[in-house]
Amino acid sequence: MLARHSFHPTSPAYLRWALALLTLFQASAVWCHGYGDGYVFLRPQGDQLHVRTELPLSSLAAAIGTSPSIDQVDAHLDQYLAYIQEHLGLEQSRTALPLLPIWHGTVRVNTGSFLSVAFEPLTLAQPVDGLEIQYNLFFDQDAAHRGVLLVQPPEAVERNSEQGEVRLIFSPERTRQALDLHDGPELDYDIKRSGGGGIKALGLVAVAVLACAILAFTLGHLWA
């Protein structure tokens, strides 16, 4: 006769199941959050620096307490821009560089909707050194958020070009960093913005369904 295993809530077997489920849910949350990265694109061209941001609309809406609907972007644009300018800054040799918006639009990719904002080109002093970036967007509401800075080549002139090298990653522990525009190392970081987003989302749903099924089976076994 097969031995019947105990699944009492305090038994080691039950605790192992609970720990596995908790780990699975935590991993799912981290995987899902990768889609909410914010982006800063810098394109040096001569003595000028072109600056553009693409930020998740859902995070912007949560930061100012409004609807994330694309149809409502223009109605809340001033609030979005004020928030961005307050939490994003560039300095050269300790001198703040003004970020003055000249264009905005929305970008839809398979990971969500983003607000794209381009700023007036900045004139940099030569030689280009002492450049520092301050990125403190969304961290107070989402500690898992990451800011991704890419340096683009001069030929990446398309308005929403994603061409470029990842040079800096911002987190709550790293909100201010120095940048070498021309000789900095490229970081190995998957920006998760194009290709396979739908497949990744389906995979996340499958993991969640499996976790729920295991949890239901465990609870059913306990109650039986």
Side-chain angles (χ1 to χ4, degrees):
M1 178 181 295
L2 294 176
R4 183 168 181 174
H5 296 283
S6 172
F7 260 79
H8 189 274
T10 59
S11 69
Y14 177 83
L15 293 177
R16 283 195 295 269
W17 273 101
L19 180 60
L21 287 172
L22 179 61
T23 302
L24 185 59
F25 280 122
Q26 287 179 332
S28 299
V30 172
W31 179 16
C32 180
H33 182 80
Y35 298 130
D37 291 343
Y39 300 87
V40 178
F41 298 90
L42 302 183
R43 180 169 62 88
Q45 190 171 37
D47 64 348
Q48 289 195 321
L49 181 64
H50 299 265
V51 182
R52 175 170 54 90
T53 62
E54 288 188 10
L55 302 170
L57 190 55
S58 58
S59 297
L60 281 169
I64 68 170
T66 189
S67 168
S69 170
I70 288 181
D71 296 334
Q72 298 294 318
V73 167
D74 288 340
H76 302 289
L77 182 62
D78 289 344
Q79 293 170 280
Y80 289 150
L81 294 178
Y83 178 82
I84 294 170
Q85 290 171 314
E86 182 180 354
H87 293 83
L88 176 67
L90 280 74
E91 293 183 2
Q92 186 180 22
S93 300
R94 298 295 181 178
T95 300
L97 303 175
L99 292 177
L100 305 176
I102 58 173
W103 175 88
H104 77 277
T106 53
V107 179
R108 297 190 186 190
V109 295
N110 55 8
T111 60
S113 298
F114 290 74
L115 176 64
S116 178
V117 180
F119 301 90
E120 289 186 4
L122 301 172
T123 300
L124 301 178
Q126 299 297 322
V128 180
D129 56 9
L131 193 63
E132 292 195 352
I133 317 295
Q134 175 82 23
Y135 183 107
N136 198 25
L137 293 149
F138 314 126
F139 293 140
D140 57 346
Q141 67 196 48
D142 186 357
H145 177 77
R146 293 295 177 266
V148 184
L149 184 143
L150 295 90
V151 175
Q152 300 185 297
E155 61 269 18
V157 296
E158 293 184 11
R159 178 160 285 173
N160 289 316
S161 171
E162 295 186 6
Q163 184 180 359
E165 297 181 350
V166 176
R167 294 287 186 82
L168 299 176
I169 304 295
F170 295 90
S171 65
E173 296 77 27
R174 295 178 62 83
T175 60
R176 185 182 184 91
Q177 300 185 55
L179 174 69
D180 187 328
L181 273 175
H182 301 293
D183 298 320
E186 180 178 6
L187 303 181
D188 183 15
Y189 188 85
D190 181 6
I191 63 173
K192 300 183 177 72
R193 278 180 52 91
S194 60
I199 295 176
K200 292 175 183 177
L202 288 176
L204 180 61
V205 171
V207 169
V209 170
L210 177 60
C212 290
I214 294 173
L215 181 60
F217 172 80
T218 303
L219 293 176
H221 191 94
L222 286 171
W223 288 334

